[in-house]
Amino acid sequence: MTSHATAAVVIGGGLAGTTAALALADAGLRVTLVEGRPRLGGLVFSFRRDGAAGELSVDNGQHVYLRCCTAYSGLLERIGATRLVPLQDRMDVPVLDADRMRLGRLRRTALPVPLHLAKSLASYPHLSPVERAGVVRATLALKALDPADPALDDVDFGSWLRRYGQSPRAVEALWDLVGIATLNARAADASMGLAAKVFKTGLLSAPGAADIGWSRVPLGDVHDGLARTALEKAGVRIALRTRAGALTRTDDGWRISVDDGPHGSEQLTAGTVVLAVPQRETHALLPDGALAGRDRLLDIGTAPILNLHVVYDRKVLRRPFFAAVGSPVQWVFDRTEASGLPGQPDGAGCQYLALSQSAAQEEIDQPVAKLRARYLPELERLLPAARGARIRDFFVTRERTATFAPAPGVGRLRPAARTQAPGLFLAGAWTATGWPATMESAVRSGTAAAREALTELGFPQGQLPEEAA
């Protein structure tokens, strides 16, 4: 019989909790995964919509990852999803200037860093020759920085860019083009430490580090369906629609009160508990004395992401995605095939586009009608084929607390995986992973929590889950 000491409870079934649960189960612990929602995946999920264009499978938002996201790639491999979430052969980002109606591309070659981007930058039409030269100088200065330097956490990225001569146009057409999507903040609102992490790792660590990957199937198929299958095969007990309440320290571990609604409450006991939930929920669950400066968790802000979904009665975009400058539109993805959009009887194909709008504080609560009135004309400006096309469906998804806010100073607020209470550990993209709030950060946090838990249990170094490179 498995002892109390080798039982673990993971609270939260997002990417961090799934990763931690798999790692603990693979080490031989008896694991229960508790999730309040009726599904796994956290904020990486899909839902069904029966609209005017037919039944669609809709992702709550457009999630992408890069080749440098080795921990997330490892999770995809672990749950058997690698072929469903492939990477580009080489980074290639079409960037459309709405004002000049000119297409540029950010793409790499096979040359060593930093020469892999030299050809693309030299011909990038959205910057002047002087601005391109300035970007090179700033890039070389950035390459010399250590993202883990605490002093960088107190500086905002926008001020640093101005110090290195970056024009407003260079910020918009290059630095924010990448930074808003990865940090969920504009340069002026982002920690220099986190910005340095993004650009050094993604663009300056290896030629292929910024190759982009995204799911070709609904996200729920991956992070609910395949993740659940992998967890069950590993022996993890999954308790959905179950909310965790009080954590109580006992003589030999923890007692966790959980409530699954119609079936009432239950007491779980375990030697190890991993809290893999957002920072405010973690704050509410943490027992007194478990974390020094516990109230600092409440100072970690949140940032929203807005997603606009448009179904046209014809094909209006002939590439998988593009980014825009000179427009409120940020990134546009073709989600037609992944959504299962049904074909039309006359053979004419509809197309489903998803607009991902990060750092959307000013628009997150605006009415659908106002968003429609602003963004549909913008899409017609960017995509001439959309002019005259009929809108078969338009809807909005909103994640008001999509990520933690990467504001200057946030680094000192993010806690490590280990708490001051024996057997209690933290996971989540918001913990001290060194990464911004990405899927990569979430997976790394789950691995870190499992490593700390197994170390405390006396597992030797060679039996611990491997940290991603």
Side-chain angles (χ1 to χ4, degrees):
M1 179 178 293
T2 304
S3 71
H4 176 78
T6 58
V9 171
V10 177
I11 300 173
L15 272 61
T18 294
T19 302
L22 283 170
L24 294 172
D26 288 346
L29 273 65
R30 183 186 64 195
V31 181
T32 298
L33 177 61
V34 176
E35 169 56 55
R37 300 178 178 93
R39 53 165 177 78
L40 300 177
L43 292 182
V44 185
F45 70 93
S46 307
F47 61 91
R48 300 297 295 179
R49 174 181 172 84
D50 189 7
E55 190 175 22
L56 302 178
S57 184
V58 178
D59 291 345
N60 72 311
Q62 180 63 53
H63 296 262
V64 303
Y65 73 111
L66 305 180
R67 195 179 296 277
C68 63
C69 297
T70 53
Y72 180 67
S73 295
L75 176 63
L76 293 177
E77 183 176 358
R78 176 66 178 80
I79 65 176
T82 300
R83 65 180 179 83
L84 301 176
V85 194
L87 287 153
Q88 292 176 316
D89 293 333
R90 289 189 181 182
M91 182 193 81
D92 186 356
V93 180
V95 184
L96 183 59
D97 184 336
D99 293 326
R100 303 172 190 173
M101 284 309 298
R102 190 169 184 184
L103 182 68
R105 304 189 88 92
L106 293 172
R107 46 188 168 185
R108 73 169 179 91
T109 67
L111 292 173
V113 172
L115 298 177
H116 66 311
L117 295 174
K119 182 178 179 181
S120 176
L121 185 59
S123 60
Y124 190 53
H126 307 326
L127 298 179
S128 70
V130 171
E131 287 168 331
R132 290 178 211 149
V135 166
V136 171
R137 288 193 296 272
T139 299
L140 293 175
L142 193 151
K143 195 173 188 298
L145 298 177
D146 177 5
D149 181 353
L152 295 182
D153 184 48
D154 291 323
V155 178
D156 75 85
F157 186 34
S159 296
W160 187 91
L161 290 173
R162 286 194 299 275
R163 191 179 314 145
Y164 282 87
Q166 301 306 286
S167 69
R169 176 65 177 182
V171 172
E172 178 196 15
L174 183 66
W175 300 107
D176 264 354
L177 185 81
V178 176
I180 289 176
T182 51
L183 294 163
N184 198 17
R186 288 171 173 79
D189 302 318
S191 156
M192 183 61 216
L194 287 174
K197 178 65 178 177
V198 164
F199 285 94
K200 283 198 69 173
T201 305
L203 296 179
L204 300 173
S205 63
D211 299 344
I212 301 173
W214 65 95
S215 181
R216 305 314 200 259
V217 299
L219 288 168
D221 291 3
V222 176
H223 291 297
D224 183 19
L226 289 178
R228 195 181 310 194
T229 298
L231 288 162
E232 290 171 346
K233 284 183 177 179
V236 176
R237 175 197 169 199
I238 303 171
L240 301 176
R241 295 186 176 88
T242 303
R243 297 200 171 277
L247 302 182
T248 305
R249 181 71 188 162
T250 65
D251 291 339
D252 58 350
W254 293 92
R255 184 170 64 248
I256 307 101
S257 299
V258 297
D259 187 345
D260 65 356
H263 299 98
S265 59
E266 178 185 356
Q267 297 289 321
L268 302 177
T269 57
T272 297
V273 175
V274 176
L275 292 180
V277 292
Q279 57 267 33
R280 289 186 175 274
E281 191 174 342
T282 297
H283 179 272
L285 289 172
L286 279 171
D288 291 340
L291 186 68
R294 168 185 166 190
D295 286 349
R296 288 203 299 266
L297 300 187
L298 300 178
D299 294 330
I300 302 175
T302 59
I305 296 178
L306 177 71
N307 286 272
L308 312 172
H309 308 262
V310 190
V311 180
Y312 289 97
D313 69 347
R314 67 193 70 172
K315 193 175 187 69
V316 299
L317 174 64
R318 300 195 178 279
R319 53 180 59 92
F321 70 93
F322 72 94
V325 296
S327 169
V329 171
Q330 295 176 11
W331 291 74
V332 180
F333 282 79
D334 180 0
R335 299 299 298 166
T336 308
E337 185 175 351
S339 70
L341 180 66
Q344 302 306 302
D346 60 2
C350 291
Q351 188 173 35
Y352 165 23
L353 303 184
L355 285 66
S356 182
Q357 303 291 118
S358 299
Q361 286 86 346
E362 295 180 3
E363 293 188 318
I364 191 66
D365 290 317
Q366 286 187 2
V368 172
K370 187 171 183 178
L371 295 169
R372 179 180 178 123
R374 183 180 196 196
Y375 281 96
L376 289 183
E378 280 296 316
L379 284 172
E380 291 185 3
R381 190 159 71 106
L382 291 162
L383 301 172
R387 299 164 193 168
R390 188 160 67 91
I391 307 300
R392 295 185 58 87
D393 202 358
F394 181 95
F395 56 100
V396 176
T397 55
R398 312 170 198 261
E399 291 295 344
R400 292 175 174 82
T401 57
T403 69
F404 74 84
V410 73
R412 58 177 170 268
L413 304 177
R414 300 171 72 182
R418 186 184 288 267
T419 72
Q420 294 178 324
L424 182 60
F425 305 90
L426 306 180
W430 54 274
T431 60
T433 65
W435 287 69
T438 56
M439 296 188 294
E440 177 73 3
S441 182
V443 174
R444 284 175 178 263
S445 77
T447 301
R451 284 178 60 89
E452 291 288 354
L454 295 172
T455 299
E456 187 177 276
L457 290 170
F459 282 69
Q461 183 73 23
Q463 295 181 23
L464 300 179
E466 291 187 11
E467 294 178 298

